[in-house]
Amino acid sequence: VAKTGDGSSGESVVRVVRVKLAGRSYQIRIGTGLIDGVGRTVAAACAPSTAFIVTDRHVKPLYAERVARSLDAAGLRHHTITVRPGEKSKSAGALARVWDELLANGCDRKSAIVALGGGVVGDLAGLAASTVLRGVPVVQVPTTLLAQVDSSIGGKTGIDRPHGKNLVGTFWQPSAVEIDPAALSTLPDRELRAGLAEVVKAGVIRSERLFDLVERRAEPILHCDPGVLAEVIELSCKVKAKVVGSDERDTSGERAVLNFGHTVGHALEAAAGFDRLLHGEAVALGMIAAGRIALKLGLWRAEAQDRMEKLLARLGLPQDLGGLDLKDDAVIDLLKSDKKTVSGQVYFVLPESIGYAALHPKPVDLALVREVVGTLRVKNA
Amino acid sequence: VAKTGDGSSGESVVRVVRVKLAGRSYQIRIGTGLIDGVGRTVAAACAPSTAFIVTDRHVKPLYAERVARSLDAAGLRHHTITVRPGEKSKSAGALARVWDELLANGCDRKSAIVALGGGVVGDLAGLAASTVLRGVPVVQVPTTLLAQVDSSIGGKTGIDRPHGKNLVGTFWQPSAVEIDPAALSTLPDRELRAGLAEVVKAGVIRSERLFDLVERRAEPILHCDPGVLAEVIELSCKVKAKVVGSDERDTSGERAVLNFGHTVGHALEAAAGFDRLLHGEAVALGMIAAGRIALKLGLWRAEAQDRMEKLLARLGLPQDLGGLDLKDDAVIDLLKSDKKTVSGQVYFVLPESIGYAALHPKPVDLALVREVVGTLRVKNA
């Protein structure tokens, strides 16, 4: 934890998390007001000939002008590219539009991209950065909780295809990640809650301390208290940074642990339509399903499952499929086409205690998966 | 040079060139009849769950069945994806079709792609391999001389955009490159000659021995003598392998030397329309232009330029723009949008002697470039 230079705002503490990679390491900085310092960070991280802000129509009026001013202050030329908000922008068409707007505005091999927005913008801008001119640097400036604790870190980029989410993408590590928790004040409540699902995930898989913190401080968190949020984001980023550092390209199995809740989650999201179930909401349901599978396999205790389900409920995350009319067959088919699937067999990350989960070495029987997905139909108290 | 195991064909010598990279090295194998051994190579290099042959409609009837049989013989499941022949397949649309055909046919993270064809297929299939499911292995099986001596080696993948060639792509090293010079017997004569432009390039930049060989044996080369071709391919691959090994991601400037002839070449290709001037033909003109710039700057001698131009002429490569009606302004504008261009300044690889060229440290004055491009309008003897 370090103090910012100017000390102009009341809350000027900057928390730093380092992501250590074989080839190149980078810093995640977390602090109120950091959005006004993006220019300095971009200049220090990659000193680009031009910085291209990629953002969406929702985020642009809120923060793009501040980022642009900070780029001006750092003496950097810049251009802003605006995409449509929402998962539909994780498409080949949106990607091609970003490529061509970059190229039409003088993007060269010394240019850099500033991804300003949520997970969609980060994934799309990251993929564009990794492929335009065979790769230019990207600085992630996430403005949703989901992006701040998860998607902006770790270098996964992606777009969706008709067969499922994130089926096309790259590994492309950011040069820096700049997180301003104050940006969450403009986030719709539902999206804040959805982001908390990834926080709970980080706690369950690797940090009982984080899980405890969210349990103890759920109310201030839901009321967007910036001090508590900064601590929650820092602990979440530490989990992610550690896992990513040990398995950058998702090959050793260590990184797969981040997929806790995502196997069923992705299938539910795709089956429901990406707009009806937010990613975090789907992950919350996926964690409940994975926990129930772990219970059935005798890997973890009913008390732990109960504790996790109760916390998700307090955070206002879905406990069951509610009004969503999903066909089990469709969900199972989508599971089988998940990119973690190998030769049609479905592997799960399963929890063993609050603070520890691991990729289960054997594929899980699809009949058991189907049974557990079925329990999500039952309305909880 | 090693003998193949079976010794069934008369010419069963296999030449091996190793590409040494920091992360991972791979072998280029060159030998008559190797196309029937692709299955074994794929199994040894990446043991995939399924091998996806990506090829085009011209190459498929010639070689896809033989590759498929070799995959069968190696016990590998496989599926063939066929794209339209020609530069138009280096497009976002063709890429999306490859992604979706891979995903529709069970591509998973243990699958591999076999790129069977010329440069277009190799670049497109390589980009698809690097992005589908965030990356699966690719084995390159080039069937044109251009691809065998240049584009299949070094890991550059790409598609074109309206602003120019190869403006989108990745670095994605193949797991193996399997070269069968006998495949050149089905290559149209014009494409063989175009491929020889890249051979001459390799000679001029790094191998006087290769340049001498082509000078001495131009006639058997043009008559597709497989023994001479194998030696020419081996020496060309050695140049490429050495340069790529010293600068995998094109950052130190060493790899830029491979771009000799490509700066003006790419612009001419784009200005003419990719179908009217073959890549190698454009590179031949680009080498002549770069050589004339080097002459003007006093970097190399008129005798060397003369020797290079004479050899290109003997190989049936264009000496001037002939009937192509290109606007100089359009060519210069395209030059400025080349991805090697930084902040609008154009850098050139310039030859200093047969066997040595280097990236010139200063940008070349655009008036000089325009003057030299103008000399390409003058009909040579």
Side-chain angles (χ1 to χ4, degrees), chain B residues 42-376:
Chain B
V42 171
C46 43
S49 59
T50 306
F52 290 86
I53 302 170
V54 176
T55 190
D56 73 24
R57 275 208 315 263
H58 285 163
V59 175
K60 187 183 178 184
L62 297 169
Y63 301 113
E65 185 55 41
R66 282 169 65 187
V67 171
R69 259 184 276 129
S70 83
L71 291 165
D72 281 333
L76 295 175
R77 199 163 46 171
H78 55 85
H79 175 86
T80 299
I81 296 173
T82 311
V83 302
R84 283 184 300 173
E87 189 77 24
K88 285 204 178 94
S89 279
K90 285 184 63 169
S91 66
L95 178 63
R97 283 189 292 277
V98 173
W99 283 335
D100 291 343
E101 191 164 345
L102 288 166
L103 295 167
N105 290 280
C107 181
D108 61 33
R109 298 171 88 195
K110 299 260 162 82
S111 297
I113 289 177
V114 177
L116 175 70
V120 167
V121 163
D123 285 1
L124 176 69
L127 180 52
S130 69
T131 48
V132 74
L133 308 178
R134 296 201 185 93
V136 300
V138 63
V139 171
Q140 294 280 354
V141 185
T143 59
T144 66
L145 183 59
L146 182 88
Q148 291 183 345
V149 300
D150 188 39
S151 62
S152 71
I153 307 153
K156 284 195 179 180
T157 78
I159 55 173
D160 306 326
R161 296 307 303 160
H163 288 87
K165 268 179 74 87
N166 294 320
L167 291 179
V168 162
T170 51
F171 289 95
W172 195 247
Q173 298 296 339
S175 297
V177 181
E178 201 81 347
I179 298 176
D180 190 340
L184 302 180
S185 65
T186 55
L187 193 66
D189 185 59
R190 186 179 169 199
E191 287 197 40
L192 182 76
R193 291 167 191 271
L196 287 169
E198 294 283 3
V199 171
V200 172
K201 180 201 79 177
V204 172
I205 63 170
R206 281 294 178 273
S207 174
E208 190 171 12
R209 181 177 160 208
L210 172 59
F211 191 96
D212 287 348
L213 175 67
V214 178
E215 263 184 339
R216 275 188 293 113
R217 312 296 304 276
E219 307 318 316
I221 288 168
L222 287 169
H223 287 96
C224 244
D225 178 301
V228 184
L229 276 175
E231 192 181 349
V232 164
I233 294 166
E234 181 190 8
L235 291 180
S236 301
C237 288
K238 276 187 172 158
V239 168
K240 179 106 189 211
K242 195 164 173 206
V243 173
V244 167
S246 67
D247 181 20
E248 183 180 349
R249 296 188 72 90
D250 206 356
T251 46
S252 75
E254 170 67 6
R255 185 162 177 159
V257 75
L258 295 170
N259 224 40
F260 175 53
H262 284 61
T263 307
V264 166
H266 278 158
L268 292 177
E269 215 177 344
F274 294 133
D275 293 339
R276 289 170 63 200
L277 203 57
L278 295 183
H279 176 70
E281 293 168 347
V283 167
L285 290 166
M287 288 192 286
I288 293 171
R292 289 177 187 173
I293 289 169
L295 262 182
K296 294 266 183 190
L297 296 178
L299 290 169
W300 89 326
R301 291 174 308 121
E303 296 74 33
Q305 176 74 11
D306 195 50
R307 205 177 148 200
M308 182 179 77
E309 292 192 19
K310 282 214 168 69
L311 181 57
L312 292 170
R314 275 179 71 201
L315 298 173
L317 286 158
Q319 302 293 292
D320 54 61
L321 289 170
L324 290 173
D325 179 32
L326 305 184
K327 300 243 184 314
D328 286 357
D329 282 348
V331 173
I332 299 294
D333 282 352
L334 283 159
L335 263 176
K336 287 197 280 187
S337 73
D338 187 279
K339 67 184 173 305
K340 309 281 178 183
T341 298
V342 172
S343 303
Q345 300 203 290
V346 181
Y347 290 82
F348 274 83
V349 174
L350 298 176
E352 298 178 19
S353 65
I354 301 286
Y356 188 76
L359 183 66
H360 194 58
K362 284 185 281 191
V364 173
D365 183 42
L366 286 178
L368 172 58
V369 179
R370 183 186 289 265
E371 180 194 330
V372 162
V373 169
T375 67
L376 295 176

Side-chain angles (χ1 to χ4, degrees), chain A residues 229-251:
Chain A
L229 276 175
E231 192 181 348
V232 164
I233 293 166
E234 181 190 9
L235 291 180
S236 300
C237 287
K238 276 187 172 159
V239 168
K240 181 106 188 211
K242 194 164 174 206
V243 172
V244 167
S246 67
D247 181 19
E248 184 180 348
R249 295 188 73 89
D250 206 356
T251 46

Side-chain angles (χ1 to χ4, degrees), chain A residues 13-26:
Chain A
V13 172
V14 175
R15 297 161 187 270
V16 177
V17 177
R18 179 163 281 282
V19 184
K20 294 189 189 109
L21 301 170
R24 192 169 50 82
S25 297
Y26 60 93

Side-chain angles (χ1 to χ4, degrees), chain A residues 51-208:
Chain A
F52 290 88
I53 303 171
V54 177
T55 190
D56 72 25
R57 276 208 316 263
H58 285 164
V59 175
K60 187 183 178 184
L62 297 170
Y63 302 112
E65 187 52 41
R66 282 169 65 186
V67 170
R69 260 184 276 130
S70 83
L71 291 164
D72 282 332
L76 295 174
R77 198 164 48 172
H78 55 84
H79 175 88
T80 299
I81 296 174
T82 311
V83 303
R84 284 184 299 174
E87 188 78 23
K88 285 204 178 93
S89 279
K90 286 185 63 169
S91 66
L95 178 63
R97 283 190 292 277
V98 173
W99 283 334
D100 291 344
E101 192 166 343
L102 288 167
L103 296 167
N105 291 282
C107 181
D108 62 31
R109 298 171 88 195
K110 298 261 162 82
S111 299
I113 289 176
V114 177
L116 175 70
V120 167
V121 162
D123 286 2
L124 176 69
L127 180 53
S130 69
T131 48
V132 74
L133 308 178
R134 295 200 185 95
V136 299
V138 64
V139 171
Q140 294 280 354
V141 186
T143 59
T144 66
L145 183 59
L146 183 88
Q148 292 184 344
V149 299
D150 188 38
S151 62
S152 71
I153 308 152
K156 284 195 177 180
T157 78
I159 55 172
D160 305 326
R161 296 306 303 159
H163 288 88
K165 267 180 76 85
N166 294 320
L167 292 179
V168 162
T170 52
F171 289 95
W172 194 249
Q173 297 297 339
S175 297
V177 181
E178 200 82 347
I179 298 177
D180 189 340
L184 301 181
S185 64
T186 56
L187 193 67
D189 185 59
R190 187 179 168 197
E191 286 197 41
L192 181 76
R193 292 167 190 272
L196 288 169
E198 294 283 3
V199 171
V200 172
K201 180 201 79 177
V204 172
I205 63 171
R206 282 295 177 273
S207 174
E208 191 171 11

Side-chain angles (χ1 to χ4, degrees), chain A residues 11 15 30 32 145 181 184 196 199 210 213-236:
Chain A
E11 175 81 17
R15 297 161 187 270
I30 304 146
T32 299
L145 183 59
L184 301 181
L196 288 169
V199 171
L210 172 59
L213 174 68
V214 179
E215 262 185 339
R216 274 188 293 113
R217 312 295 306 273
E219 306 319 316
I221 289 169
L222 287 170
H223 287 95
C224 246
D225 178 301
V228 183
L229 276 175
E231 192 181 348
V232 164
I233 293 166
E234 181 190 9
L235 291 180
S236 300

